[in-house]
Amino acid sequence: MKNLLSIRMRASRKIKIRNSKFEIRNLECKEVHISGAEGLYKTSEMQKTVKKYIERALNHPRGKADRIVVTIENIKQRPMEIATLPLATVRCGTPSEGKKIAQEILQSLGISKRAIDMAFRLINKGDMRGAALITAKRGNRIEPDMKRGIRVSRLGINKSALRILSRRLRRLRINTDIVKEALILASKVISSKKVIAELCVSDDPYYTTGYVASKKYGYLRIPHIKPEGSRRGGRAFFVNERANVEGIITYLERTPVIATKSTPIRGIISTDEILGRFYK
Ligand code: WAQ
Ligand code: MG
């Protein structure tokens, strides 16, 4: 691919908050995140993509935006090529079951209970625009700007991989932008050697499917990981204890990565199948 553009959008709204119960006159403003999107595109796709991003910002289930920032940059660096992670959907019916499944999968990857609890705590607070970087053993948060988190950017998929991926997802009736964008994002995140796993819960009030991604198990979708109507959500990347923080951030935010291959996907499977626990 030649002449790639990085296109990013973020939409937000200012809300007034009282900074004390009694001082009604003393109002402070807070910027709440509504929606964001990013990708690598060909120059010929620029207009269409910007239009799509703006429409998304203006019609978002999280509310009306009063500020939309679109950034378009030329990318000179040749992108790294990756394959999308294998995808499967875990059988799950309730948020408490979903949380338990995510915990089991993460623990089997060597991530400590402390780190997992930290991730769920942040996701349940749900006021980040990006993802938290959490060390896998001690459970420390290590990204420099904790309000913003890490924003994965400069990622995309080429035409032929997208065609095959869409066909595969269509068979499972999940060929949506939300699934494709999340799968591409997770595939870039997990392609970093320093990231062991990702936990994601959407912040859209009516999108209740989340996922756990890792090299070992691929992209595992977890339906009903959050209750319907909740605006809470977020992402956490679990990294090696002694990882170089700047190196990881540069890779995730700045290095152009394109999926040029789509890995086969599977339908619904049980946690026992994933973790290789079989009972006779
Ligand atoms: N980089 C880092 N963190 C991000 C990014 C990004 N580019 N985009 C979003 N986040 C964080 C941010 O904290 C959001 O609040 C949170 O993730 C959720 O983002 O297989 O919709 O865009 O069915 O709401 C996953 C399941 C859907 C898809 C994910 O995320 C499926 C989703 P959302
Ligand atoms: Mg969202």
Side-chain angles (χ1 to χ4, degrees), residues 4-278:
L4 280 176
L5 296 175
S6 159
I7 308 182
R8 304 200 290 280
M9 177 280 287
R10 67 188 169 86
S12 59
R13 186 179 64 218
K14 279 239 162 76
I15 55 161
K16 291 194 171 114
I17 47 164
R18 269 185 220 178
N19 49 14
S20 111
K21 239 187 190 163
F22 307 106
E23 283 180 68
I24 306 169
R25 271 177 302 165
N26 204 355
L27 294 171
E28 229 175 61
C29 277
K30 184 182 161 198
E31 197 172 5
V32 287
H33 171 71
I34 301 284
S35 112
E38 48 276 297
L40 290 173
Y41 297 93
K42 283 191 260 175
T43 313
S44 60
E45 298 170 303
M46 176 166 68
Q47 309 262 356
K48 196 184 75 194
T49 305
V50 170
K51 189 158 180 266
K52 182 176 103 176
Y53 280 3
I54 292 173
E55 265 160 25
R56 190 186 295 191
L58 292 176
N59 301 302
H60 202 276
R62 280 174 65 77
K64 268 260 157 295
D66 60 15
R67 182 176 144 97
I68 303 169
V69 182
V70 176
T71 310
I72 304 172
E73 282 173 295
N74 233 327
I75 299 297
K76 298 204 179 65
Q77 207 179 328
R78 199 191 148 92
M80 260 189 55
E81 297 184 10
I82 60 166
T84 55
L85 289 169
L87 169 152
T89 301
V90 183
R91 196 170 290 122
C92 173
T94 63
S96 61
E97 197 187 341
K99 185 172 177 186
K100 198 174 138 249
I101 292 169
Q103 281 168 334
E104 277 189 304
I105 295 166
L106 291 167
Q107 262 170 2
S108 89
L109 292 163
I111 295 160
S112 71
K113 178 141 191 321
R114 205 187 137 107
I116 299 168
D117 288 346
M118 169 67 117
F120 273 104
R121 221 173 18 250
L122 292 171
I123 288 174
N124 286 330
K125 259 191 14 208
D127 56 2
M128 271 192 314
R129 170 149 78 80
L133 279 187
I134 300 175
T135 64
K137 290 280 178 277
R138 293 205 184 126
N140 294 330
R141 259 188 99 174
I142 54 169
E143 79 272 15
D145 182 346
M146 296 199 184
K147 185 82 197 94
R148 174 178 175 272
I150 304 301
R151 195 78 205 176
V152 183
S153 198
R154 306 197 172 182
L155 70 174
I157 187 162
N158 73 3
K159 235 190 177 147
S160 63
L162 180 63
R163 193 177 331 109
I164 299 168
L165 175 65
S166 299
R167 192 190 311 137
R168 287 178 164 146
L169 292 171
R170 206 172 300 128
R171 283 194 209 119
L172 301 176
R173 297 173 196 281
I174 50 171
N175 185 29
T176 61
D177 282 347
I178 201 162
V179 173
K180 283 182 281 197
E181 286 176 10
L183 176 64
I184 296 165
L185 187 145
S187 302
K188 175 172 180 182
V189 171
I190 298 304
S191 74
S192 157
K193 288 184 189 67
K194 304 290 156 47
V195 180
I196 304 163
E198 173 186 355
L199 170 65
C200 168
V201 177
S202 171
D203 58 13
D204 300 12
Y206 298 101
Y207 204 87
T208 58
T209 302
Y211 67 82
V212 171
S214 61
K215 277 175 206 68
K216 187 162 179 195
Y217 303 120
Y219 178 95
L220 295 173
R221 307 175 66 236
I222 307 177
H224 308 293
I225 197 166
K226 77 169 194 182
E228 196 151 316
S230 159
R231 296 168 56 88
R232 294 181 185 158
R235 280 182 158 94
F237 304 152
F238 299 96
V239 301
N240 289 331
E241 210 61 44
R242 276 184 300 278
N244 167 323
V245 187
E246 287 87 65
I248 296 180
I249 296 177
T250 304
Y251 181 73
L252 296 177
E253 294 192 336
R254 314 280 311 167
T255 307
V257 173
I258 277 262
T260 53
K261 255 187 21 220
S262 149
T263 309
I265 65 179
R266 298 177 65 178
I268 297 169
I269 57 177
S270 70
T271 329
D272 288 334
E273 261 180 279
I274 297 158
L275 299 175
R277 292 184 303 212
F278 293 103

